């Protein structure tokens, strides 16, 4: 258990594990769910010709180098339905020569705060492995909405598969600790400015900024947040449809106010007919 991330060996992997690998010199990480048989289900952008199964940075690299994204080992590697960002690849293609790391669940608050990077652990508990694999395989066939770096990314996908937790409304930052960290750094620097002026000295300024950053990461963790609900994967599409209808209604109300222009991003999932949606708040 390191301060940056938790390195694991392939022999330690079990179906239902949440894994990730660092990309672009540790600037960000790509997450997925290991489902066994050296296969990983993960979330990327929608399927496009010549870039199926690749996250945006890898897709750009492939186009520049002229290389082929096809896997020479597993014939079904890269399985992805049209108009879906959820994909099944082999472990080698998921890692792309990167190191293998395991996302940690149920960590104590002290351990969570000690981590230097977000997107490596959560205080929330994981569901049993069979439930995790079921969610990942179900979403492979049914999709997980549109990919968004801040609101609906690969870490959000893996976190949902592991916990079944999701936000009841589109409130900016999703469940991703990585996105919370990216936003938290500039916000910590901004809001800690008055305190830094009173702290005096470089050490005091650093301590105040670091404290604000850690506090921001902690309050946005899904194990702490009170605005998350547990949704069965079979009802997830209906839930996202309910979110879309609510967002449309709020958008119409705001646009009716004079002098205001509102742009709302919506997840392109349709409500399933005959689906009775019940939201169960997390205790």
């Amino acid at each position: 258990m390191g301060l940056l991330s938790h390195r694991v060996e392939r022999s330690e992997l079990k179906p239902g594990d949440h894994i990730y690998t660092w990309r672009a010199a540790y600037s960000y990480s790509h997450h997925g769910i290991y489902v066994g048989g050296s296969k990983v289900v993960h979330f990327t952008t929608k399927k496009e010709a010549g870039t199926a199964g690749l996250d945006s940075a890898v897709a750009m690299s492939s186009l520049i180098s002229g290389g082929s994204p096809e896997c020479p080992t597993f014939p079904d590697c890269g399985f992805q339905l049209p108009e879906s960002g959820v994909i099944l690849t082999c472990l080698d293609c998921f890692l792309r020569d990167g190191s293998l790391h395991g996302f940690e669940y149920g960590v104590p608050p002290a351990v969570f705060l000690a981590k230097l990077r977000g997107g490596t652990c959560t205080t929330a508990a994981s569901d049993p492995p069979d439930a995790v694999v079921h969610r990942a395989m179900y979403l492979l066939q049914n999709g997980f909405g549109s990919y968004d770096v801040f609101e609906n990314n690969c870490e959000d996908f893996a976190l949902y598969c592991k916990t079944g937790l999701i936000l009841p409304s589109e409130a900016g930052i999703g469940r991703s600790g990585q996105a919370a960290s990216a936003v938290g750094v500039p916000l910590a620097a901004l809001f800690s400015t008055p305190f830094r002026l009173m702290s005096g000295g470089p050490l005091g300024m650093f301590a105040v900024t670091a404290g604000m950053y850690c506090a921001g990461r902690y309050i946005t963790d899904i194990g702490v947040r009170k605005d998350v609900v547990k949704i069965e994967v079979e009802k997830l599409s209906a839930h996202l449809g309910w979110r879309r209808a609510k967002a449309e209604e709020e958008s119409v109300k705001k646009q009716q106010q004079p002098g205001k222009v509102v742009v709302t991003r919506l997840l392109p999932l349709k409500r399933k007919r005959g689906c009775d949606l019940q939201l169960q708040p997390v205790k």
Side-chain angles (χ1 to χ4, degrees), residues 46 83 144-147 240 244 266-270:
K46 289 183 180 180
E83 299 301 318
F144 193 64
S146 294
Y147 186 94
L240 294 177
R244 175 171 182 164
L266 304 174
L267 295 175
L269 292 184
K270 298 180 180 179

Side-chain angles (χ1 to χ4, degrees), residues 106-122:
V107 301
V111 174
F112 181 88
L113 292 172
K115 294 286 187 178
L116 299 179
R117 289 287 298 266
T120 61
C121 64
T122 177

Side-chain angles (χ1 to χ4, degrees), residues 154-221:
C154 58
E155 186 184 343
D156 291 318
F157 169 81
L159 285 168
Y160 172 74
C161 289
K162 289 287 285 186
T163 65
L165 299 176
I166 199 165
L167 293 173
S169 61
E170 294 184 85
I173 297 298
R175 302 163 298 287
S176 167
Q178 189 173 196
S181 293
V183 175
V185 171
L187 287 181
L190 175 64
F191 289 116
S192 64
T193 299
F195 300 99
R196 288 187 296 168
L197 294 176
M198 295 183 292
S199 63
L203 185 59
M205 295 170 63
F206 173 78
V208 171
T209 303
M212 295 288 290
Y213 166 70
C214 291
R217 280 185 52 230
Y218 183 73
I219 63 176
T220 56
D221 179 58

Side-chain angles (χ1 to χ4, degrees), residues 257-278:
Q257 299 178 12
K260 289 189 176 182
V261 179
V262 179
V263 179
T264 305
R265 283 182 293 180
L266 304 174
L267 295 175
L269 292 184
K270 298 180 180 179
R271 182 188 297 273
K272 292 184 178 180
R273 296 181 178 178
C275 182
D276 183 17
L277 174 63
Q278 296 181 352

Side-chain angles (χ1 to χ4, degrees), residues 75-157:
D76 59 342
C77 180
F79 173 80
Q80 182 181 19
L81 294 178
E83 299 301 318
S84 173
V86 184
I87 185 169
L88 174 72
T89 62
C90 70
L91 183 58
D92 288 332
C93 288
F94 173 81
L95 295 175
R96 293 187 65 85
D97 298 324
S99 55
L100 175 62
H101 299 265
F103 198 96
E104 300 168 271
Y105 285 80
V107 301
V111 174
F112 181 88
L113 292 172
K115 294 286 187 178
L116 299 179
R117 289 287 298 266
T120 61
C121 64
T122 177
T123 60
S126 170
D127 287 335
D130 56 344
V132 177
V133 173
H134 169 69
R135 290 184 187 124
M137 298 306 294
Y138 184 90
L139 294 175
L140 179 63
Q141 298 291 336
N142 295 271
F144 193 64
S146 294
Y147 186 94
D148 186 277
V149 172
F150 292 105
E151 296 181 15
N152 200 46
N153 57 37
C154 58
E155 186 184 343
D156 291 318
F157 169 81

